[in-house]
Amino acid sequence: MKYGINTLDDLELAGRTVLCRVDINSPLDPSGEGLADTTRIRGCAPTVAELADSGARVVLLAHQGGDLEYHNYASTEPHAAVLSELIGRPVGFIDDVCGPAGREAVLGLRDGEVLLLDNVRYCGEELTLFETKLNLPPAEQCKTLIVRKLAPLGELYVCDAFAAAHRSQPTLVGFEQLLPSAMGRLFEREYENLARLRSQPARPSVFLLGGTKIQEAFPMMAAALRDGTVDTVLTAGLVANVMLVASGIEIGEASLEFLRQSQLEPYIAESQTILAEHGEKIVLPTDLAVVAGGARHEVAVTDLPAAEQIVDIGAATAADYAARIAACGTVFANGPAGVFERPETELGTKVLWQAMADTPGFSALGGGDSVRAVNRFGLTERFDYVCTAGGAMVQFLSGKPMPVIEALQESAARFAGSGVER
């Protein structure tokens, strides 16, 4: 047991039906054929393989796509083939979740077999609006149709979906009320590494915060500075742009207009507060890059404003940040330094990701764009930890409650001594 939660080592798995919630949500290939990225499927594969190898009958529950914006909203059928190849055994699929066909398929499983159910968000109870509008506690979530139909078929529940641990939905917090539960290996690894970043970082501890989703960066930055988790915050991307504006720098109308269109102006006032309280720990760029006439041009901050939109940090800033990363005990990055997808604007991100790969300190990164960048530069295996979570990582590092963690902890206490332990 770790953090008050059972691990796979704590439960007897052989011959038992295990309902396993995974997060294999993946971007779809623009061609409409298959998946564009399988990072999250690779992440959960060890847990699925271990369950099957232990002789469990494995029933996988997963979501695919966003139900609000209807983006990448699709069946989980393609995921079964990818997972089958990764674990080296067949992974069955049924285009049902908790209906008669799905339940019959679950009952037909033999020891060591794996079945992936279809997208759980095809069920209304798993939709975001159901979660946010009703805000049901776990004791009520376990009364939903999907849990009432599937829980009687299972003997254990395993959650390996750390990337969804900030959500409160039936397949994430409902089964723990009814079944002995444990976290999977990916969940365990994510929890351990993020806890290390938040509570026990080797010093000096450096956060590199960039990208476009500053709604995620600011809560993490504020919590880390308040708690003393971080010694230095290196800023890049829109985080840097907002901080520069907050410090009185005129960055240019094109960059300001982008902040307005992105509805990020409120963060200017928040940045002023953070700079006033923790300015000695925050490092702003000394030069930046724009693109004019198809070519990269670097501009010193002292020479701003720039007519063109800022799209990267400059070479001098990248070198300064790289030196700080080389000397750190811990470095965590969320968000690239610039538009890393284009050759003329990839320099900042490429230099910093390489510095993180080379540092003798503990190197970690998270967030979708950060992961795509590290994959683009072929450095994934050089990092100590690459987090598959997005919103869950932000909520954890911001010190906010995590519904799935709480549900797993409560389940461990509720079913202690129930006879399923090893």
Side-chain angles (χ1 to χ4, degrees), residues 346-361:
E346 70 175 7
L347 184 144
T349 306
K350 190 172 186 177
V351 168
L352 299 184
W353 266 224
Q354 186 65 57
M356 290 180 67
D358 293 339
T359 184

Side-chain angles (χ1 to χ4, degrees), residues 12-13 126-127 150 163 169 209 234 255 261 263 294 333 422:
E12 183 59 54
L13 302 170
E126 286 284 311
L127 296 178
L150 293 178
Q169 297 170 323
L209 300 178
L234 308 176
S255 296
Q261 291 178 356
Q263 299 181 331
R422 288 182 177 176

Side-chain angles (χ1 to χ4, degrees), residues 173-225:
V173 301
F175 288 110
E176 291 95 330
Q177 299 285 310
L178 305 174
L179 298 172
S181 304
M183 56 182 169
R185 296 305 185 192
L186 176 62
F187 196 112
E188 182 181 350
R189 187 170 74 250
E190 301 273 32
Y191 197 156
E192 285 183 334
N193 280 294
L194 289 176
R196 174 178 180 177
L197 284 173
R198 193 173 75 180
S199 305
Q200 299 174 321
R203 305 289 180 171
S205 173
V206 173
F207 274 27
L208 169 62
L209 300 178
T212 59
K213 297 179 181 179
I214 70 174
Q215 301 92 330
E216 298 180 353
F218 270 73
M220 288 189 293
M221 176 166 50
L225 289 167

Side-chain angles (χ1 to χ4, degrees), residues 236-260:
L238 294 189
V239 177
N241 289 3
V242 169
M243 286 277 184
L244 287 169
V245 173
S247 63
I249 302 295
E250 295 185 17
I251 60 175
E253 184 56 33
S255 296
L256 272 176
E257 180 58 26
F258 187 82
L259 295 181
R260 294 190 197 103

Side-chain angles (χ1 to χ4, degrees), residues 15 22 70 78 102 122 155 201 222-223 247 259 279 293 296 310 321 324 339 343 356 377-378 386 389 417:
V22 293
Y70 207 67
Y122 287 167
E155 296 162 273
S247 63
L259 295 181
R296 178 188 179 96
I310 297 167
Y321 286 8
R324 294 172 186 266
V339 184
M356 290 180 67
F377 301 134
V386 175

Side-chain angles (χ1 to χ4, degrees), residues 16 25 50 64 113-114 122 193 231 240 301 304 322 367 415 419:
R16 289 195 161 103
N25 188 24
E50 182 175 347
Q64 171 58 45
E113 291 186 336
V114 182
Y122 287 167
N193 280 294
D231 299 306
V301 169
L304 290 174
F415 292 100

Side-chain angles (χ1 to χ4, degrees), residues 99-407:
R103 300 199 305 276
E104 183 178 355
V106 171
L107 290 170
L109 284 175
R110 298 181 178 180
D111 293 355
E113 291 186 336
V114 182
L115 173 69
L116 173 62
L117 302 178
D118 213 338
N119 189 350
V120 295
R121 287 186 176 169
Y122 287 167
C123 298
E125 298 161 334
E126 286 284 311
L127 296 178
T128 301
L129 285 176
F130 185 92
E131 174 186 8
T132 57
K133 295 298 183 182
L134 297 182
N135 195 27
L136 297 178
E140 294 298 319
Q141 301 264 22
C142 71
K143 299 176 184 178
T144 54
L145 181 69
I146 190 170
V147 177
R148 285 192 292 110
K149 291 293 186 181
L150 293 178
L153 309 183
E155 296 162 273
L156 301 171
Y157 172 76
V158 170
C159 187
D160 209 29
F162 187 89
H166 60 309
R167 305 297 297 269
S168 182
Q169 297 170 323
T171 62
L172 291 164
V173 301
F175 288 110
E176 291 95 330
Q177 299 285 310
L178 305 174
L179 298 172
S181 304
M183 56 182 169
R185 296 305 185 192
L186 176 62
F187 196 112
E188 182 181 350
R189 187 170 74 250
E190 301 273 32
Y191 197 156
E192 285 183 334
N193 280 294
L194 289 176
R196 174 178 180 177
L197 284 173
R198 193 173 75 180
S199 305
Q200 299 174 321
R203 305 289 180 171
S205 173
V206 173
F207 274 27
L208 169 62
L209 300 178
T212 59
K213 297 179 181 179
I214 70 174
Q215 301 92 330
E216 298 180 353
F218 270 73
M220 288 189 293
M221 176 166 50
L225 289 167
R226 181 181 62 249
D227 299 341
T229 300
V230 65
D231 299 306
T232 303
V233 176
L234 308 176
T235 63
L238 294 189
V239 177
N241 289 3
V242 169
M243 286 277 184
L244 287 169
V245 173
S247 63
I249 302 295
E250 295 185 17
I251 60 175
E253 184 56 33
S255 296
L256 272 176
E257 180 58 26
F258 187 82
L259 295 181
R260 294 190 197 103
Q261 291 178 356
S262 303
Q263 299 181 331
L264 299 178
E265 286 183 296
Y267 289 95
I268 296 173
E270 187 174 343
S271 297
Q272 290 171 333
T273 301
I274 292 174
L275 287 167
E277 296 176 353
H278 305 286
E280 75 284 355
K281 292 186 175 183
I282 298 171
V283 182
L284 303 179
T286 56
D287 63 339
L288 301 157
V290 301
V291 173
R296 178 188 179 96
H297 298 274
E298 301 203 345
V299 183
V301 169
T302 53
D303 292 332
L304 290 174
E308 299 82 10
Q309 185 177 330
I310 297 167
V311 289
D312 195 14
I313 58 173
T317 297
D320 174 45
Y321 286 8
R324 294 172 186 266
I325 291 169
C328 74
T330 302
V331 57
F332 166 72
N334 178 246
V339 184
F340 67 89
E341 298 92 342
R342 295 163 53 186
E344 63 270 26
T345 54
E346 70 175 7
L347 184 144
T349 306
K350 190 172 186 177
V351 168
L352 299 184
W353 266 224
Q354 186 65 57
M356 290 180 67
D358 293 339
T359 184
F362 179 78
S363 57
L365 65 76
D369 288 339
S370 299
V371 173
R372 282 187 284 276
V374 80
N375 289 339
R376 172 183 170 87
F377 301 134
L379 297 171
T380 305
E381 301 303 320
R382 300 277 307 281
F383 279 67
D384 294 302
Y385 170 54
V386 175
C387 182
T388 66
M393 175 193 69
V394 172
Q395 193 151 317
F396 187 94
L397 291 177
S398 300
K400 297 177 180 178
M402 302 285 284
V404 177
I405 290 176
E406 292 175 353

